Amino acid sequence: MAPQQEEEQQLPVLQFNEPLSWRAGRPIAIADLLKRLQTLAAELQEMEQEEVDPGSLTRVAKELAHQNLLGHKDKGVKAWTACCLVDIFRLCAPNAPFTEQQLRDIFTMMITHILPSLSDTTNAFSKQHIYVLRQLAQVKSIVLITDISNSDSLILHLFTTFFDILSGSAKASTGERLGNGVEFHMMTILSIMVDEAPQLPPEAVDSILAQFLRTDPRILGGSNLKGKKNSAAAPADDKQSTFVLKELPPAYNVAKTICNQCPDKMAREISAYFTDVITEATSVVQRHRKGSNDMHDEGSTAGPTEEDMKDLRKAHALIRELWRASPAVLQNVIPQLEAELSAENVNLRLLATETFGDIISGIGSAGPPPPPMPDVAAYPLLLLSNLPDGLTNLNILTTPSSPQPFPQVHPQSYSVFLGRRQDKSPIIRAAWTAGVGRILSTSAGGVGLSQHEEKILVEQFARMFNDSDERVRLAAIRAVSSFSFKDVIIKLGSTGGVNKDESLLANLAARVKDKKPAVRAEAMKTLSCLWVLSLGEIADGNVQVISLLGGAPSNVFNAFYVNDVEMNMLLDHAIFEILWPINYPPKKPTFSKLLNGHSQRITDGQTQTEEHVDDSDPNKIRVERMLFLLKGLDERARKVFFSVGGRPKVLGKFMTAYIDCCEDYNGGIMDTDEKAIKDRLSRLISELAKLLPDSGKVSERLWRFAKMHDRRSYQLIRFCLSPDSDFHTIYKAVKEFTKRITANDKAPPGLLESIIPLLYRSSVLLYNKTHVPAIMEFSKSDEKSLGSTAQDVLRDISSRSPDILTAHITAMCRDVQAQAPTASESNPPGIVDTLKACAAFAKQYTKEIPRDRKFIQAMTNFALYGTPPEASKHAVSIIMAISDKKEMVAKDLLHQCVNGFQYGDKNFLSRLATLSQLWLLVPTEIDEDGNAVIDIACKEIIMKTRTPSTAPVEKKEWSNELDEECSAKCWALKILVNRLRSHPKLETLPEVSGPIFKLLTSLISNEGEVSPDRNTPPAHKSRLRLLAARYYLKICTSKPHELLLTANQFNKLAEVAQDSLFPVRTSFLARLRKYLTAGKLPPRFYTIAFLLAFEPEVKLKAEISTWLKSRMTYFVNLKAQQSLQGGTDAKKGSINKASTILESIFARLISVLAHHPDFADTKEDLIDFSRYFIFYLSNIANEENISLIYHIAQTVKSCRDAVFANEPKAEEDDLLENWDERLYTLSELAQMTIRCYEEAHSWSIQTLPTFARISLPRTLFAEIKDHKLSIRIAEKSYLPEAEDIREGVEELVKKKAATSRKRKSEGADLGGDEKAGKKIKRLPVRENKPKTPARKKPTTTPRKKAGDSDADDDDESDAGNNKRRPAAKKITNNAAASRRSVRASGASTSKNYADRDSSEDEKELEELNRDSKPAEEGSSPDTEAGDEMDVDEKAGADGLDGSQDENEEEEKLEEEFNVPALPLRTAKKAKGQSSVKAKASPKSTKKAPAKAPTPTKKAAPKTTTKAKAKPKGKARGKA
């Protein structure tokens, strides 16, 4: 013991011996006290632990702990006292020489005075404060607080003080940063407290957790986590939400470090916290459920209160941030969160689903990164090689970050989360969809997903685009917008592109036609932006990007066919604001950020597109983008594009009339013609308002604009409408107009929303004169493989708006002249389109075409030696338009073509083309040598077969390529047709038309066979058959020629719609639709379209169906328009005959079916034939016109067949009676079908008044002169087994009605895009038939029962209908078995002939020579067909085909307004909008009795018009 005592005596002792305490009333002066404390502090700081005698510190320690110093009013005294005390703690550790009360007083002074002063870096004693902090952290003497009883308040104060300092809420006004090491020492002290404290106060835990919410002050809201009053939560700093932070807040870092350094203890504390919050919220639900009646409180939907949900939202936001900061502390919380996913309350499930999605994505309480804002007008274009991986976000708070892969760490919870995809609540599925989108876009917070996990997520994400609820679909579309362009290609494109069924991008593209406005608007915007971002790679030839997004614009443009005014307005905005924005390219290089925030400006080191926009060449850049846009469009979308380019010609004049009328209106102050001006302005506004959604508001805005009387705005609009304005002028006009209206206080709200779309449609934007030179340059150079596309644009401009070419036509002609062929050299094939453009221009602007000798000679060379033959045709058109001596030139060309003509000579096809065009343009000059031309066409070309067929006769083939012989026959046939079309004398027209009609009918009847040896190749026969049918349509566009087409010839022509070859059918029907839409063909040709009841190609059938519906809507609107304009005859109550066109067609349909080769009077065949009537009714019938249709069906039975009545071969009465019986059988079948259709739709057939009835065409029906015979016919039933037939018809009608309702129900939100999921059954191929005698009485054969027949008529193929149809004539069994229409065939072909519409001048051969797109085998057409059927898509919409042809109704509007009429494209038929019930009767015959319809309770409909009968003739009969 002695040595040890000696050693202790040898330890240095404290030398300081001055007093630090005093008695009451005798204090030590502050200066002296400070000096003593400084001396003591200096000595204590020099001492080291275990090297000083602790006993020597006792007196000083006691004095330092006295209230005289701890409670001194001077800050310096307290600061130096604290410095001395922390050194005493250090030197005496681990046993502090203080009592518990003294420790309480010491730490109270430090925590309440010393440590808070650290926030003031300008404090005079800042160094002393930092010294105290450092010693407490390094020596860990802060742990002495735990030895104090009831120290929770001190610990809480310590935590709140530090976090207030770190968060900045306790900073001095200077705002200076804390000193070096302060943050670290604070973090150390707090970590020590968490680790050493037996139990942390709950409020201290709250203060720690509150720091994680400082990343989003708006969530914190100035209160703590549970809404309790304490100072742990600093007030929200609004500025923090707007700053872009590059590092995390200090308070956040300290809290994060605490959690990571003490994970086990913090996990327990945090688990207890969330248990408290979640239990408190869920207990409300349980209490509600216990007190509720399960019968009346389904699902206990009351849930937590708003205050509880507020706390829950804060707790879940905290979980998000904790996962980013310290996932280990959530090991006990994730299972609790997983339980919420299965909660019955929707709000709890929704919150849990959103939280899991953000956790897996690494998104914290600050939320996801801001949505990307792509600059669609940026230039140079974006390339993938210039983009960083993933999203670039400068704000660290919103940068997704996940320390651990959640699927691997918590696989069970991840699996439960994935199961929420099938949640019954749509808002849960929407939240799940948004979450999965974030997971994919962030690669699970940056840690990545396995290939299998990513594939599953993408597939499930793709399915959400077809969800039944619009909110889910909208969430899916918006989620795509959060992806970087590179991720769209790599991740979302992994399932395929927009043209691959069931792929994610295809599902996105399908939403463009969604029925919900918000969904389709977002889808169109997103899809358009994706294409814009991919444009750089598309231009660069990236095959992967082209396959994924190259077809995106087609889906956008095809939305036009939906025939919805709102959809059309969205399309206008998508075209001129995204796909081809009018502000593109910018004058200066753009620096805007794209999807991932990456600048689109190309750096100097990138040589690929390093050049900037040349101010002198913006037109070429703009044209290049337009050509790339057009190049990627499919055939239907191209029609829309060309329609958009050509519509300013009509709408521009209409807008000009509106502006002129506004000026006449003069703001409402007019001197003369006030009523006329107001009426005209009212009609103009009414027509313009119909083009936009919410026409009432649009009309009001246009009236307000007229009353504003802003002359400058009028002038700006005129700049936009003028074809003479260059593009820059139009752009500046639109820009100034927008600013002007925005700044005008008198402008009504939403005026720009109404006028801007009208300006987009009427302004000369696409086909602007400044674009023509660039288009011509691309057509010549074929730069970037855009040559053919540029030629298509030039061709369309020349046909739609040739006036735009005025300034450039001379250069085009000289270019053609320079490339003219000679006898030894041929011309470049690309010059044909330029030649065609010049020919179209020459028709209207003859004086602008050069007339010099060299140019005429060049055109002559083209006529004789041009290749392909179309070049010769166009050259002849130019010569005949500009030549002053056309007769002499025509004769010269004729002699050079005819003299020495030999098949197979060089350029013999060019000679044939020249002859065909000469006979069309100058027929009088050709007639002199007409026999020689006819001999060449018939004897040398058509009647000879030089390549005999080696294939079986019954095998039909189609070739997309025309060989030399087939092309020659096509041109020879055109020579004959042009001869007939141009025949000048009406009196000799029947004589000339007879042989040609006979030839065309023979080609159709004999399946295209023309050779006497019957050895024509199958490919030639199908081509000639199609060409004959289309030439029939072309000829019948002339009324004198159409009158010569007999009913029998018409019936033969109608059979082409049921041809066994799909290319023949679709091409013929496309031409038929074009002419009917343009008003060129008489109404009887509508009958042909109703023969598609058994069409096996679903897409074609759907297109025809929706086209028929659109035409029905057109006629209904036409009737309403004519009524407003005084088009009805109120005196007689008659209705304009145009209003009942499609209803009156029903009689013609019965006649065509009566003469159909497949007709048979067996039960099974008649049930099948009822499908024709069902197809007709499904497209035409409604509650208003069903009575008129039924009346027509009845009237047929009161007449006789007149098709063969006047033919010599039909003298026998039994043959005529046979046709009559067919009519009566089908009349009864039609009435039965109408009755079944009426019952299925709960309609009521009324008896029509006399003036509302219509008479039948005399060319098809004849009067029954014998009154007794007519009574016998009316009383006799011609239907065999009528009851069985009725059962079969009822079954078909019910299935059709159920299918329609099902599709409407399934597609109510989707727009009908649900996949059928089953393969379409095909019908057997139609076979060749031998020539059979006509008009023989049919022989019937045993058939199976009606119940065994296939009755599935649901707009799909006639599945299972493979039985052979007996012929309607008395022929051999073999012949009867071989004669079949497509009703029993439906060839499933792998080739699809893409028919292209022509201009007014001939295009037939050009179309036939073009390549056709093969149809995709195995592809399900249900998607597009569903789209078109369920959303009333307007396939073959008005205004797309034959854009330069105006029908009679448009001409009437043009006369009234002095402008071309608007295309009558309207939205879907409004509820209550009735169609027409009556038709003017041009002829009438005697009335004959017939069966009256069943009386009904409903009164007969009232009408205000009366039929206007012609003087001669009597009523044909009554119902």
Side-chain angles (χ1 to χ4, degrees), residues 553-570:
S554 294
N555 290 274
V556 175
F557 277 88
N558 285 333
F560 177 83
Y561 292 97
V562 175
N563 191 27
D564 181 82
V565 289
E566 184 177 0
M567 183 72 81
N568 293 342
M569 187 178 70
L570 291 176

Side-chain angles (χ1 to χ4, degrees), residues 1314-1328:
E1314 295 290 344
K1315 305 290 187 292
K1318 59 183 179 181
K1319 292 185 178 179
I1320 303 302
K1321 296 181 181 179
R1322 303 296 184 185
L1323 301 178
V1325 179
R1326 176 184 180 181
E1327 299 177 353
N1328 284 331

